Amino acid sequence: MYHLRLKGNHYQMGVKRGNIFKKGGITFPLHLDEFQMKHGKESEKILNKFFPEVCEEIRGLSETIGVDYIEFVSWMLCMGCCMYNLEENVPVEIRGCTAFAYSKDNRVIYGRNNDLPPYLKNGSSSEIYAPENGNRFNLTTSSFINGEEGLNEHGLAVAMTFVLTELGKIKAGFNSCFTVRYLLEKANTTEQALNLLMQLPIASNYNILIADKSGKMVVVECTPNIKKIREAKSVDDGYLVCTVNSFISDELKPYDFAKGDDYHSYTRYSVVMDNCIKNVKNADPVVETQKLLKGEYGFMCQYDDEPDFETVWSSIFDLSNLMIYRAEGDPRRKKFITDIRLHNIVLGRKDAEK
């Protein structure tokens, strides 16, 4: 996993990444069909309306590596949405992630297993952003510029989980990974993030988990036509919310095109809801969250029988003190390492040593 730091002007951040790609000999043989290009062009107009800064970052990258901006941003906007025919470029996109947040005894903890084809593991990165006129944040991603999860300087965590969409139901709009990036950079609290999210046009089905250090946490189940807020549940004298690769609310279940072919989604959801807070009693919540992510309380990352699919990283965020703990690989085999970069930038090195 790469550990990158980016700061300053968005265009220049894109140029910096582009130079890293050029130095590493990384190229992008893009293969978009007519549907994808149309979707990308229409979605870029929406992205540019709501988040012009990120378009400048993509432009800086594309111009540095010498590829057409519209084709490149269209490819990025198809991620997690309509990547169905890219066998010549990358395998068909599949995801099986679990994300949750809970509050207990004045602690607010977020946890995630990011489950993907293993070819995405080596290119994954944990990036520290300090953009001009935006929040500083940590972004964890199997892509770049957009991402699956993150934590910003205000103690706001945002994460996505993929839900399969029927191709004919996809519309121009934000894909899930750009939604994560947008909310991290623009919002300070769960309430602010919710207000921003409710204004966004949504491209395809996905879930967005939002939690802040005050303990306010929700999952928003998103389709191109409906957004459904799912509140945290009161569990064992705490509050807990979880999202997987399906819709939990009865109202949105009919929109889930996977029809149960979603890497044990409901099993993972049940394991979190039944065990997360219960096992934190009189124990270190970070340690207990590690055990949960390792599958010690039930199925979470045990994809041994699934060909070409595994947990490529696991994350834990302590929202109050901006400490991050990450296993870069299957958490059953990789240790959780403390990432203090965001904490040190925002709160200072001395506080990290307490």
Side-chain angles (χ1 to χ4, degrees):
M1 180 174 281
Y2 296 100
H3 298 86
L4 186 64
R5 291 176 183 254
L6 295 162
K7 65 179 180 178
N9 176 280
H10 282 80
Y11 183 88
Q12 289 302 321
M13 290 193 295
V15 169
K16 178 178 179 178
R17 190 187 299 275
N19 285 326
I20 292 171
F21 286 164
K22 285 175 65 176
K23 185 177 180 180
I26 298 171
T27 59
F28 299 91
L30 307 179
H31 301 285
L32 300 182
D33 65 18
E34 184 179 351
F35 175 89
Q36 290 166 327
M37 279 302 302
K38 183 175 184 293
H39 172 79
K41 288 179 179 179
E42 292 176 352
S43 296
E44 190 276 341
K45 294 176 183 177
I46 295 170
L47 184 68
N48 197 33
K49 175 184 176 181
F50 286 89
F51 200 8
E53 303 95 329
V54 85
C55 291
E56 282 300 296
E57 187 175 341
I58 297 167
R59 191 180 299 278
L61 167 59
S62 63
E63 290 181 355
T64 301
I65 64 176
V67 300
D68 179 71
Y69 163 75
I70 287 295
E71 187 174 13
F72 197 80
V73 72
S74 294
W75 173 66
M76 295 193 73
L77 284 160
C78 288
M79 292 177 181
C81 178
C82 51
M83 289 291 211
Y84 55 83
N85 69 342
L86 300 185
E87 289 88 348
E88 297 179 8
N89 182 10
V90 294
V92 174
E93 187 169 44
I94 52 175
R95 298 176 184 269
C97 307
T98 309
F100 55 90
Y102 65 92
S103 60
K104 173 74 173 176
D105 298 330
N106 298 316
R107 298 283 294 277
V108 184
I109 303 292
Y110 159 91
R112 180 188 186 89
N113 277 347
N114 213 66
D115 309 332
L116 296 167
Y119 80 93
L120 289 168
K121 179 164 57 177
N122 290 338
S124 295
S125 59
S126 171
E127 305 181 350
I128 295 291
Y129 266 91
E132 289 182 354
N133 303 315
N135 294 329
R136 295 171 290 182
F137 57 92
N138 179 287
L139 182 73
T140 323
T141 178
S142 60
S143 177
F144 46 86
I145 297 178
N146 57 37
E148 285 96 317
E149 65 173 358
L151 175 66
N152 75 18
E153 63 179 300
H154 302 287
L156 178 73
V158 184
M160 55 71 68
T161 59
F162 175 81
V163 181
L164 189 64
T165 313
E166 186 177 355
L167 190 60
K169 301 293 178 63
I170 292 171
K171 293 185 177 182
F174 272 63
N175 66 12
S176 58
C177 293
F178 275 113
T179 298
V180 169
R181 166 71 190 270
Y182 177 67
L183 298 180
L184 287 170
E185 188 162 332
K186 299 295 185 180
N188 297 356
T189 65
T190 295
E191 198 63 38
Q192 288 181 0
L194 273 175
N195 290 336
L196 290 172
L197 177 55
M198 288 304 169
Q199 299 175 45
L200 291 184
I202 301 299
S204 63
N205 295 346
Y206 53 83
N207 296 300
I208 297 293
L209 183 151
I210 308 169
D212 65 26
K213 64 183 180 182
S214 77
K216 174 65 174 176
M217 56 189 71
V218 297
V219 166
V220 184
E221 300 182 341
C222 300
T223 79
N225 297 309
I226 302 172
K227 298 186 185 84
K228 173 73 173 179
I229 298 174
R230 183 157 52 82
E231 302 284 351
K233 291 187 175 183
S234 176
V235 179
D236 292 306
D237 299 320
Y239 287 90
L240 170 64
V241 69
C242 177
T243 178
V244 284
N245 305 104
S246 51
F247 292 134
I248 301 302
S249 64
D250 291 336
E251 180 182 350
L252 266 65
K253 283 181 180 178
Y255 295 90
D256 180 359
F257 196 57
K259 308 302 182 184
D261 186 15
D262 51 19
Y263 296 96
H264 315 285
S265 186
Y266 283 103
T267 299
R268 289 182 276 118
Y269 178 82
S270 297
V271 169
V272 171
M273 298 304 294
D274 293 344
N275 295 278
C276 182
I277 294 182
K278 178 177 67 176
N279 291 294
V280 169
K281 291 181 179 179
N282 302 316
D284 182 338
V286 172
V287 172
E288 289 302 313
T289 304
Q290 289 178 8
K291 291 179 180 178
L292 178 62
L293 292 169
K294 291 177 181 180
E296 293 186 17
Y297 300 125
F299 185 93
M300 288 291 288
C301 62
Q302 299 94 319
Y303 295 110
D304 303 311
D305 295 330
E306 296 283 357
D308 298 321
F309 197 75
E310 63 184 53
T311 298
V312 298
W313 79 72
S314 294
S315 299
I316 300 170
F317 303 160
D318 188 329
L319 275 57
S320 300
N321 60 21
L322 306 183
M323 298 295 281
I324 296 172
Y325 310 87
R326 186 181 304 105
E328 298 183 3
D330 189 323
R332 295 173 296 172
R333 303 179 182 94
K334 296 290 185 177
K335 292 183 179 180
F336 281 84
I337 305 299
T338 305
D339 183 345
I340 60 175
R341 292 175 298 164
L342 182 65
H343 176 107
N344 285 353
I345 290 170
V346 178
L347 300 176
R349 296 181 182 275
K350 290 184 179 180
D351 190 55
E353 296 170 356
K354 291 181 180 179

